[in-house]
Amino acid sequence: MNPVVRTLLSRVGGYVGACLLVVFFALPLLWLVLTPFTPNPTYRASLSGVTLDNFRALVDNPQVWPSIRNSLVLAGGSALLVVALAALAAYALSRVRVPGRDQLLYALLLLSSIVTGTAAMVPLFLMLFQLGLIDRQVGVVLVLTGGLLPAAVFMLKDFVDSVPRSYEESARVFGAKPNQVLRHVVLPVIRPGMATVGVWALVQVWGNFLVPYVLLANPSKQPAAVVMYTFYDAGGQPDFALISTFALVYSVPVVLLYLVVNRRYGFAFQGGIKG
Amino acid sequence: MATVELTDLVTQYPNGVRGVDGVDLAIADGEFFALLGPSGCGKTTLLRTLAGLEGATEGRVRIGERDVTALEPGERDVAMVFQDYALFPHMTVSENIAYPLRIQKVARGEREERARESADPLSLGALLERRPAQLSGGQQQRVALARAIACHPQVFLFDEPLSNLDARLRLEARTFLKQLQRRLGVTTVFVTHDQAEALAMSDRMAVMEAGRIRQVGTPREVFQRPASLFVANFIGATPMNLLEGAVRGGRIDLGGVSVPLPAGHSGLGDGERVVWGVRPEYVATAGDGVPADEVVEGEVSAVENLGVTVLVTVAVGGRDGEEGVEVRAVLPEDDEPEVGARLRLHPQTARVLLYRADDDGALVEP
Amino acid sequence: MATVELTDLVTQYPNGVRGVDGVDLAIADGEFFALLGPSGCGKTTLLRTLAGLEGATEGRVRIGERDVTALEPGERDVAMVFQDYALFPHMTVSENIAYPLRIQKVARGEREERARESADPLSLGALLERRPAQLSGGQQQRVALARAIACHPQVFLFDEPLSNLDARLRLEARTFLKQLQRRLGVTTVFVTHDQAEALAMSDRMAVMEAGRIRQVGTPREVFQRPASLFVANFIGATPMNLLEGAVRGGRIDLGGVSVPLPAGHSGLGDGERVVWGVRPEYVATAGDGVPADEVVEGEVSAVENLGVTVLVTVAVGGRDGEEGVEVRAVLPEDDEPEVGARLRLHPQTARVLLYRADDDGALVEP
Amino acid sequence: MGRARALGFVAPALVVIGVFLVFPAVWTLYLGLLDYSLTGAGAQAPTFVGLGNYTEALGDPAFTRSLGLTLVYVGGSAVLGQNVLGFALAWRLRGAGKVVRSGLTVLVLLAWILPGSVVAFLWQALLDRRGGTLNALLGTTDQAWVLDHPMWVIVVFNIWRGTAFSMLLYTAALSSVPRSHLEVARMSGASGWQQLRDVVLPTVRRHVLTNTLLITLWTFNDFSPYLLTGGGPNGASEILPVYVYREAIIGGHLGYGSAISLLLLLANLVIAVFYLRVLRGRTEAT
Amino acid sequence: KEAGDAADPSANADAKDVTLVVSANDVKGGKNAAEAAWIEDEVIPAFVAQQKAKGVTAKVTFNGAGVEDEQYKTKLELNLRTGSGSDVFAADGIWLGELAAAGYVKPLDDVVGDAAKDWDGWDQISEAVQANLSFKDQRYGIPNGTDGRVLYVNKTLFAKAGLPADWQPTSWDEVLDAARALKKLDGVTPLQVNAGVPMGEATTAQGFLPLLAGTGAPLYDEAKGTWQGATPGVTDVLDFYRQVYGEGLGDPRMQQDKAGRDQSFAEFAQNKIGILAEGDYFWRSVICPSEEDCGATSMKNRDEVVGWAKIPAKQPGTGVGGQDFVSVSGGAGWMLSPKTKYPQQAWELMALMSSKEMQEKLSEAQIRVSARADVNAETLENDPLLSFISEQVLPITTYRPSDEAYNEVSLAIQQATADVVSGKSPQEAAATYAKSLTEAVGAEHVAGG
Ligand SMILES: Nc1ncnc2c1ncn2[C@@H]1O[C@H](COP(=O)(O)OP(=O)(O)OP(=O)(O)O)[C@@H](O)[C@H]1O
Ligand SMILES: Nc1ncnc2c1ncn2[C@@H]1O[C@H](COP(=O)(O)OP(=O)(O)OP(=O)(O)O)[C@@H](O)[C@H]1O
Ligand SMILES: [Mg+2]
Ligand SMILES: [Mg+2]
């Protein structure tokens, strides 16, 4: 085949493929973009006029802002805790040879699938009750952190593995104590990894409904994910005006966070467990 | 500044490999000492044991008056420059240089002051606010040096600091590093696998093989009288001519050619197998005045331009189906022969060294 | 085998950088041609454009009789050896060597046959079933070569194939590669930033700077008469002495010292600024018979051992607070001076080259 | 770093994991041995039934069907869908222009970071039988995607939702493939597919393993299809997490639900070991 | 074990500082906002004032929620189990059996004692409605309200199909005939009866049970302690479903869809459904004329367009107790946690909530059928449907069994209807149902076969 034609064809094919992918990924988002501005929102993604009334209704709703704040507290708290604990653990696990380390990590990963499942709700509730952590946000944060930690360590360890040891050794030769090495060198270097894992953890918590709902009694402590489900009118009909607008507002912090992290650190993963 | 003394040092890795396997070494105060050897011989391990990054399995390390064997790296008062420089990517040049001072809790203002002081003589003054990723290889190397200098250590440890530089830069950096060390007068241990680097820069050098030191001496001593075949093979810009043969009738028979026995070796018995060695630089074209029994003659099989000189490989002997031998000579550029031409070479008998033809390959002293 | 011809070649990267910026070059059939230049000058880009890995923005590439400018890399009948060898870690040596044949759908049996054929002369016969990770650097390099040979290309392209070897191996590989190319007679383009490599191995070489070719010629031509300051600076095992000065009264005043004007340059006007250049190898200690006006005298500031020779740096002039200049000389080992000693040097006027003291720094032809 | 200090670094994470993960998980596993329910008489005095719950589950056609659906779901959406699409995206976007790359990346990531409850609405709006965007787009009326092709819907949904992770991981992986290896293949005349097979895949095999392990695990536990299909119609998309939800929360059979959780875990383990075998087998040879 | 502790009715009876927590599945600004507002703005201030008059400082918090009933129930059970959470809570009558069997709740007589026995409000609440929050003849809480089911009809469609505006079928066949007539209209779903799993309890309460009541026997025979298995009655009901959905009179897809109930509401509001079997809240909260209250499903002209009819027995006279017409009611009420620290004050709060005054306030905020007859008498007269229900339906209605197994039985029923809707034969579905039933309650508690 003529090389020019060939290049042209592959170009065109590439663009068509890219367009299809864009459509595939963008189509479901249409509703989120259009509905909040539609006067009488329904399941349909249509724009029958533009209005900001829905936002006004949202502003007037007493649950909205506290719930977003609670979401920030829960998700932010969990993300910070997850990142902090996982970074420490990942560093140690990456640098010290422990027999069976990878198996242990994987076993924990598997166990985490149990506590994130619905069946564990009862043991979790009873345990937190005994610990006096029911209806306290810190309890929710701890439970969520526990569930996310194994995967976070798993992912962060790959980042630490990719940091040359000479950085640490160099600092040690200059007399840095181990925690100084960690603070001055290792943590800053794996910051992109921590940011990425942090966003990941935050997203997981941000959308979590069951755990905060069950473990928090007071509605004023409930996060947005729980409140999202309360926007039904008296007849049990979803109130799309509120839901769509709230969905948009509710998504904004996560998207913003992603944008910030992406700009500052680049959103990236390391990968490749040591087979 | 300080002396460095290693006694019976052994460093064994957890997997059982002995990276350093019984080393005794004394390095003088202010000396520029090179550790040379092929890849995997244990140079880095030795350096790291000195720095305290690896624990010594046996033996002792003394720096100055202190026995530091059991001390942490940070307590040994040494500074190390790693092969990959290990500059912290998230710190500016200035912060990198001042890092050791930060550890020593020097106040920020003074830190910056001293960073500037170390940076200036290395022409880094204008780069202080950049990050390592924005520097060229040569600049990175200088930052690593400045960082090592900034903490005024008693000993510098350099692990192949030049090997990441390109050929030209490497030459310049050599001179520069040497002058710097001279000026600072800090005892320096320098690891390299490049013999030219070791020769050019060091006051004294050690050649290592398999965790052991094979020879210690000034570059001159090591270059002129390599103590073993291994060292002989390793040292020199062009590989040394090393040909196995047997003593026969006061001469040495190299298979196809025979060369005179150097003076002082009459003690060698007839038929004894030795390795005849001479550097290509000490092989010249045979002028008319050269006695015929000191000439080896053959066909030029390769010519390499070395600049002002050429390295000529001559296939000697090998008639009657016998395997011949190759003799290399470095000749002035004007004498460059054609490949295929016949050439008469004259190895300077006074420069010839003999080695035992056994595993150790020790130098046969006259 | 084939000639290679580049006409007005320009290769521009998407970011606007012109890696190759107007190159005309003709390489003869069977020639061993080296591309030399500092990092970033466009050597790799040129080679990759030749290989078809980068598209030419302007100009044409011809290999043999064919215009290959628009062809895919796989259709150009060239083989490339990469700097990192690019051996596939998951394939055995034999599979690696036979990989191009596998793509060409050669039957398995024949593939193994031909892999063996290419491997044997490179002494890889015993290693065919190993994987690259189990090979030393030198062996890996030979496997990469065998892979290039196996597909019987018309042109070999080598991108710094030796730079990952350690110093010793590099020297051996040089000779080996040269001999191999000679035997196969395949046109070869060889990229390096190491001038010694280019000098030693190539039939002809080109020196590049910033995407352009600055000089083409045999190693001898380039070494003896670098066409510009840039080339002069770049070529040579030791950096050339290049000192700026002014013509004054039939001599050249270098600031503090004055040296004779070389023959054939009487056309230069008084006060004209030139760069005086001479290789350290062409500077000797001044014997008694040397006329005083050809001697430069100063204090030794550094001595580097080069093996059989030493590189001596002498600070000349610089009295009365004036900045002096440094003159380097390569002296025989026996003449090694002490640092700090006074030394009289004699640059061979016949070897001195003059360059214009402008940005181009072109050679002033006599 | 010394062992002791390392332990110090790991300890906080271990404590949190021990208290808030291992302990409740073990407790859950213990409940799986009981005839435990949250209400009714079973809550008063649960009896020990040993492996009763397990035998019951394995004998329950609803469970086996659910397990089968889960395998289809995981296989289709994660192992194949996210893996392949994520890889393809990472591969294509490598050479793409900045606009296309960042645009697509943001879209893919949005699907990943938007909260599940929001996403559920988005997909209901997309697939709605009456006025869904998809029907409007295709000109089909009254096409109830969720009812007619429930498994397809949740598989495609999960591909949409989860591809971002694979894409990110493979982007990192692909940057570890030496360019020269690809170029050797190109110089040999290898086609795009041959380059992929001979160079890229062998190099990123470990990343494939990591990725596949993680997304398999996550997809096995993914509850979000419930928000789309509710497990229906008539159980046709009742994957195991939904099954557990129905049994444990709606039906109140906590002991049973816990037992299923363990079975879920075991299935996962078997699959993980299988991956390790397949993907690692050849690495050992080196 | 914890749940088994004996309650002490007199605990803290004369405390001067009282803290109480009320919870319900409603929340201001969301689900059932009116009730949440009522609790926060009416009940609590009134209670605080009432206590203050007695010299007691009361602090009452309301823990609202707005989630699916199963989730509310799960959390409620966890709270009751540990004794954390609320003192007074809202619960659906059908949960009582389970909660009581688990020991999570106790009879009012045990927890509160005489005060509960002597409450004057009981007189206003009919026996049947009281039974909704009673278990084994003991009262566990005070009912808050009740409801009734009818068949809603779209009069416009009826007119188009030539059916009478004051339609009142007397047998299932008449219903089906009307549906068949409606079927001739284009784009109209003639008849929608709740079925299938996604609708949850609505399937049982709005669809299956009213039909079953029309076959003569209740689902659960209290006297014998048996549930109807694959009885002819059950099979008849399932066969009715088959006719509706198998003949295309109803839209089976809507019953399978997760949001199917919402869809049927929306379609009814758009005049696309002829007959819909629903409870009264459909009238007041789904298709009310106010767009503000009922959103997209509001019907401005509801009062002109929408008619209703009582649900007929299978044949006249075949209903439970030989009735011609039947209905099923449910309803939630207030219960208190046996672990409350302040049983007397909690009771006082409950009693206040169920007082005439408060109940009237609630009915004003959101019209509904209260549990109290005196309240209904005053509040319902302006609403034709609700007064119809209160006058004509409640007398013939039946309540769901409050047995602890009810939840599971209901799940089995939902599955059976789902099977029929998706094409299985009624006999097959009934057999599967009977099997699940046997597993859930034991063979000795299953009648018929
Ligand atoms: N961390 C380690 N664990 C086990 N063995 C090691 C370790 N590091 C090095 N070795 C082994 O110890 C020996 C000496 O290694 P070392 O790194 O000191 O060599 P080197 O002389 O620095 O080589 P190079 O020039 O390649 O850097 C080698 O055989 C090497 O394989
Ligand atoms: N992929 C690329 N995209 C943009 N610019 C590039 C790319 N590759 C190289 N360049 C630029 O093109 C110029 C020539 O690069 P090239 O790699 O050809 O240099 P080189 O002579 O091979 O250098 P080195 O000795 O460091 O390998 C440099 O300025 C480089 O920064
Ligand atoms: Mg080393
Ligand atoms: Mg290059």
Side-chain angles (χ1 to χ4, degrees), chain C residues 39-40 42-45 83 159-160 191 193:
Chain C
S39 187
K43 307 179 294 293
T44 298
T45 310
Q83 181 172 351
D159 192 1
E160 316 208 5
V191 163
H193 58 240

Side-chain angles (χ1 to χ4, degrees), chain A residues 24-25 28 31 43-44 85 88 92 97 106 110 113 122 127 146 178 206 250-251 255 258 267 269 271-273 275, chain D residues 3 5 9-10 12 19 21 23 29 109-110 114-115 122 124-125 131 160 168 172 206-207 210 221 254 269 272 280:
Chain A
F24 173 60
F25 280 100
W31 189 82
Y43 267 125
R44 248 158 266 205
L85 299 186
L88 284 177
R97 222 173 300 205
Y106 192 69
L110 279 177
S113 72
V122 176
M127 186 181 90
W206 195 257
Y250 171 46
S251 309
V255 175
Y258 158 72
F267 201 65
F269 279 96
I273 54 169
Chain D
R3 288 267 163 114
R5 182 156 278 118
F9 282 166
V10 185
V19 175
L21 192 148
F23 181 70
L29 296 183
L109 277 164
L110 266 181
L114 285 179
L122 299 188
Q124 281 166 17
W160 177 84
L168 289 172
R206 280 212 321 242
H207 297 82
T210 308
N221 289 288
L254 269 164
L269 191 64
R280 214 187 193 176

Side-chain angles (χ1 to χ4, degrees), chain A residues 27-254:
Chain A
L27 206 55
L29 297 172
L30 210 58
W31 189 82
L32 185 60
V33 183
L34 296 184
T35 314
F37 303 96
T38 305
N40 280 312
T42 60
Y43 267 125
R44 248 158 266 205
S46 65
L47 198 61
S48 53
V50 177
T51 173
L52 291 177
D53 287 350
N54 299 333
F55 287 92
R56 216 155 290 138
L58 193 72
V59 171
D60 294 340
N61 191 293
Q63 295 200 74
V64 168
W65 303 113
S67 75
I68 299 257
R69 195 197 59 225
N70 290 334
S71 279
L72 286 173
V73 169
L74 292 181
S78 309
L80 284 181
L81 200 59
V82 165
V83 168
L85 299 186
L88 284 177
Y91 174 54
L93 287 178
S94 165
R95 293 308 194 228
V96 170
R97 222 173 300 205
V98 183
R101 173 188 63 190
D102 291 340
Q103 285 82 343
L104 175 79
L105 261 182
Y106 192 69
L108 289 178
L109 207 57
L110 279 177
L111 275 188
S112 71
S113 72
I114 291 191
V115 289
T116 49
T118 41
M121 248 30 282
V122 176
L124 278 175
F125 185 93
L126 298 180
M127 186 181 90
L128 256 65
F129 177 73
Q130 293 300 330
L131 295 175
L133 289 174
I134 287 296
D135 197 23
R136 295 186 46 193
Q137 290 179 331
V138 60
V140 177
V141 166
L142 285 169
V143 166
L144 292 169
T145 303
L148 296 174
L149 262 178
V153 173
F154 207 77
M155 290 187 264
L156 263 181
K157 197 176 136 290
D158 283 336
F159 277 89
V160 184
D161 285 343
S162 72
V163 177
R165 276 170 192 242
S166 60
Y167 289 173
E168 292 150 71
E169 292 176 340
S170 165
R172 276 179 70 202
V173 174
F174 293 128
K177 298 274 170 300
N179 56 5
Q180 284 176 315
V181 174
L182 186 71
R183 257 194 358 253
H184 297 164
V185 182
V186 179
L187 293 184
V189 173
I190 61 166
R191 218 155 35 189
M194 296 201 300
T196 303
V197 170
V199 171
W200 169 81
L202 189 120
V203 167
Q204 302 298 312
V205 177
W206 195 257
N208 196 318
F209 163 80
L210 202 56
V211 175
Y213 170 67
V214 171
L215 300 182
L216 294 174
N218 194 330
S220 65
K221 293 178 185 164
Q222 297 286 9
V226 174
V227 166
M228 180 96 193
Y229 284 103
T230 71
F231 293 145
Y232 291 83
D233 57 28
Q237 297 291 297
D239 182 345
F240 286 113
L242 270 178
I243 287 175
S244 62
T245 324
F246 188 59
L248 190 64
V249 171
Y250 171 46
S251 309
V252 164
V254 191

